[in-house]
Amino acid sequence: MRIVACLKQVPEDARFDRASNTVVREERKQMLNPADSYALALALAIKDRLGAEVTALTMGKPFAAKMLPAAAALGADRLFCVSDPAFGGSDTFATASILSRAIRHIGGADLVLCGRRAIDGETGQVGPELAVMLDMPCLTNVARLESVSEARIECGRLLEDRWEIHSAGFPCLLTCCDGVEGIAYPRMGSIATMRRALEIPVTTLSLHDLSGDFEGNLDDGSGDAFVFGRQGSPTRVRKTAVHEEQPRAGVLLTSPESGAAAIAEAVRLVLEEQAP
Ligand code: FAD
């Protein structure tokens, strides 16, 4: 089974460039998007049970590649970073278009695993868009692995007030919550795994690589146009604003007596207000 885990590098503290309305991405303050670590954990759990080739795929600035060896140390077999100045400013549609081309370029997948949402953009659109572009069924909000075989995967979807159990055949795409039950969170591998990880190269894919397959005409036969970068993005972030919390005046109650009296007075005032 070929599994691709889509891993996004996100800023530890979100700051915006007000001129371009984009997230400021500095190399020193980046981390793996939390939900994506569970996408990777799920991929590795399936590899443990069935045997699978796990590919870690990211798109971002060249320094995004630096987080990939950690995925190899946990057990990923192949590492790809899609990076090209032409991809800068991509919205979710363009991001999904680029990732779908990359997945086709590296040989396709039986199972694609994404996070439910990235903590910087927070749209949660990339996974479902990617599923459409790869022509795969999509299960979102996966928070529990029920069972998996060579033919099917059964998962629990966590909704606001209930669980839903779904099953899908392969190929399919799942988006994972910040936590997936039924799997062990991967620990650093054995010395042998770590040695092997050091030998796994990070392959960078550029616009040229993703379009070169198709004689430069950007058509891979899927019928979808290849869109990327700001020019190819149908949406624009017009404005960003920081939500300022208004601090509420607190009341310090220093003894049970004064606390009880203050609460009794508050209740009396509410009852008085409500009295006809
Ligand atoms: P999500 O859709 O939340 O990501 C879900 C999952 O997809 C991730 O967990 C990961 O598994 C995978 N994934 C996503 N990006 C990557 C990647 N680069 N590499 C590997 N895997 C990945 N774009 C819009 O189209 N509409 C908007 O309304 C919009 N609003 C934005 C608002 C702000 C303030 C900012 C800064 C950006 C906004 N964008 C918007 C742009 C959007 O953030 C980017 O397109 C981003 O790269 C992908 O969207 P996301 O972060 O919301 O990802």
Side-chain angles (χ1 to χ4, degrees):
M1 184 182 298
R2 296 159 305 159
I3 305 177
V4 174
C6 294
L7 309 181
K8 185 179 182 187
Q9 199 181 46
V10 293
E12 278 178 18
D13 52 345
R15 285 194 295 118
F16 295 103
D17 177 340
R18 293 299 168 84
S20 63
N21 278 320
T22 52
V23 173
V24 177
R25 297 185 190 281
E26 289 170 18
E27 179 170 358
R28 66 194 167 84
K29 285 191 171 169
Q30 301 289 324
M31 58 187 261
L32 174 61
N33 181 51
D36 302 3
S37 63
Y38 288 95
L40 179 62
L42 181 55
L44 295 173
I46 296 171
K47 178 181 173 180
D48 278 352
R49 290 184 201 185
L50 299 177
E53 178 191 65
V54 174
T55 299
L57 171 66
T58 192
M59 178 191 118
K61 290 195 171 179
F63 58 73
K66 289 190 180 167
M67 70 171 179
L68 292 174
L74 293 170
D77 304 290
R78 300 196 302 165
L79 310 174
F80 289 94
C81 176
V82 183
S83 192
D84 195 297
F87 297 153
S90 294
D91 71 358
T92 61
F93 189 73
T95 300
S97 179
I98 296 162
L99 290 175
S100 71
R101 295 285 154 152
I103 291 171
R104 288 202 172 96
H105 178 84
I106 62 180
D110 302 302
L111 177 62
V112 178
L113 298 171
C114 293
R116 183 172 79 92
R117 64 189 178 123
I119 58 170
D120 53 351
E122 295 245 24
T123 66
Q125 294 171 4
V126 171
E129 285 172 340
L130 188 53
V132 171
M133 290 174 189
L134 292 170
D135 202 17
M136 290 181 181
C138 176
L139 292 180
T140 54
N141 287 10
V142 167
R144 190 156 71 206
L145 174 65
E146 301 287 341
S147 65
V148 62
S149 71
E150 294 287 350
R152 295 193 80 76
I153 186 161
E154 194 171 282
C155 301
R157 295 184 66 234
L158 184 59
L159 306 183
E160 203 160 308
D161 58 349
R162 64 188 183 280
W163 284 90
E164 284 178 355
I165 309 299
H166 288 261
S167 130
F170 298 114
C172 65
L173 183 148
L174 313 181
T175 74
C176 299
C177 291
D178 292 7
V180 177
E181 293 176 15
I183 59 169
Y185 197 77
R187 276 169 294 178
M188 279 295 167
S190 61
I191 299 286
T193 310
M194 306 282 259
R195 278 222 183 94
R196 188 179 137 270
L198 290 173
E199 283 160 19
I200 299 177
V202 178
T203 305
T204 300
L205 301 174
S206 64
L207 172 62
H208 177 78
D209 295 312
L210 299 191
S211 53
D213 294 349
F214 321 117
E215 296 169 349
N217 66 3
L218 307 183
D219 178 4
D220 70 348
S222 66
D224 296 327
F226 183 17
V227 295
F228 51 83
R230 189 173 293 274
Q231 290 308 313
S233 294
T235 59
R236 293 277 182 285
V237 179
R238 298 296 297 272
K239 195 176 170 189
T240 55
V242 176
H243 173 67
E244 305 283 1
E245 289 283 337
Q246 294 298 329
R248 292 195 206 163
V251 182
L252 188 62
L253 304 170
T254 50
S255 70
E257 292 75 18
S258 65
I263 291 168
E265 177 61 9
V267 171
R268 193 186 63 75
L269 287 174
V270 170
L271 292 175
E272 213 173 78
E273 262 177 40
Q274 288 176 353

